[in-house]
Amino acid sequence: MWNILEFQMAHGGLVANSENNFSVLMRCKFGWKEYNYDRLDIWINGSLTKAKVDLIFKSILKNISNANTDYSSINEIVNSIKGSFALIIRSEQWIYAACDKVKSIPVSFVIVNNKIIVGDYAPLLVENANLNKKNIDKFAVLQIAMSGYCFGNRTLYNNVYQLAAGQSIMVNANSVIRDYYYTYSPWKIKENISKSKWVNKFSEVCWAAIDELIESADGRQIVIPLSAGNDSRLIASLLHEKKVKDVVCFSYGKKNNFEIQTAELISKKLGYQWLGISCNVNSQRVFFQSTVYKEYVDTFESYNSIPAVHDISVISNIYENNLISQDSIIVNGSTGDFISGGHINANILSNTNINSTMDDYISYFLDKHYSLWNNLRTNENDKKIIDGLLSVVADRGISKTINSDNMYSFYETIEYAGRQTQYVINQQRAYDFFGYGWRLPLWSDYFLDFWEQVPVQYKVNQNLYIDTLKKNNWGKVWLDYPVNMENVTPVSLKVLRNFIKLFFTPFGRDNWHDFDKRVFQYWTYISCNTAVSSYNKVLFDSRGYRNYISWVTDQYLKGKDLEI
């Protein structure tokens, strides 16, 4: 049953100069709840308790009137909210909507035919606005084909938009206003602080974030997708230090892969239950052809990005076999590697001696995030993407704060506003689909505020982050347990791969990598997610795919009869 609320208002501003229909159209599923506060109808989703919701909207009520509402004061209140959330507020005079600082929960809106509709599910808005293939935005198709996501507010449909991270929209009788109440700003550095003091400060931040997680979980079981990396291990080891008992760790992928082996050892050391969920190419192929997968993709269609499929099959396995409590809180490590500096290009910094150019970082950004298909990396396409990126940068006011001394922060911010909050964050939808709760402590305000201030010399190669983990050695799992080693399984395939590699020595590394990617990686990729495509397509690919996400993107666009 759809929950539809409509009201009439006169509207000028960005859309038209005549009377218009403003609507809120809600699916009201997957965590969305409806409240009424005096003159306000509220829809909210996220990790906020009812008590916190009451406090937030009591504050908002103090700052509004029927005729004049102080938009900036509402933004200030929203900016002060800690935790994951999205909200839509309707009064008799206006609609306000916002999502949190990392867009962990999407909100969409459509502006068409003198109507503005705001809601939680983009396909409903498209259907209500009677849009079809004629309304497809070809530039958005190109963006998704090259990266898997659109930047800014763009979606596959003209006039359909999705709020970006840290953004709000206010619709009233006279205007439609978009505003960024928050942008991750790693140029706000504090100098003249020793590294040892930064280590101590970061240790305090870790404790604050984990305390917030424990309070929010409120005694519910905490479930951690544990890898052999730093981020999920940090969460598990801090919970151990806090003596939290009801914790389950799970790992997945090819049998006997390094991630599973290391995670099992860490879980046992911490005294936590561990689930090892193995898969292979055949099992993944079956899943990607299942009705469950199709329903997942359709249920969280946003037209803003491809579906996040990284761990959907394993969450489905956990759900079907009742391996964790249904009211569990799943806590992944997103996105400790990015925010701690793991994506800063040390070569650019060293090669340019400090004064890197914007061209250096844009080129690196395209290579890293807009290269799902080599054949699309033409000068014409690159220029379109660069112009679009710079438009988003200007829209958020980022360019006004960047200079030659902090050019690295330009890269960090456009990745924050791009891949991290437009695509990676959508991993949470897998948990939503099966009714599990989730939290993102490494995206908390504590982490955002801290890493904005850290000088670049302590971010390169994550040296501050890693030094802090090793110094504290929480849970005693940081000095004797390796991080992110790789092994090729099964052993028979490893032997064959190494034997053939010898014959490629005269032909150079690039030729070997191309052969290896097309012939072997389909079978050696740890998660086996390459099975989203057939082996023949991978083997005979002539477009230059990058990884399994290339094939998810290909499938997504072809499913809509869209191609570049």
Side-chain angles (χ1 to χ4, degrees), residues 193-204:
I193 298 177
S194 68
K195 186 174 183 180
S196 61
K197 288 184 178 179
W198 279 118
V199 167
N200 292 336
K201 284 177 176 289
F202 182 51
S203 300
E204 294 170 2

Side-chain angles (χ1 to χ4, degrees), residues 79 100-102 164-167 179-185 188 396 416 443-445 447-449 452:
N79 190 32
D100 61 34
K101 295 168 185 174
V102 297
Q167 189 180 44
D179 190 29
Y180 295 99
Y181 69 85
Y182 176 85
T183 293
Y184 180 60
S185 308
K188 297 179 178 178
R396 293 191 84 111
Y416 151 81
W443 267 129
S444 68
D445 281 19
F447 269 63
L448 289 167
D449 294 345
E452 279 186 331

Side-chain angles (χ1 to χ4, degrees), residues 117-137:
I117 312 171
V118 182
D120 61 343
Y121 185 48
L124 277 180
L125 305 187
V126 168
E127 179 183 358
N128 191 276
N130 295 315
L131 301 181
N132 55 45
K133 195 173 179 181
K134 293 179 181 178
N135 304 105
I136 290 293
D137 179 349

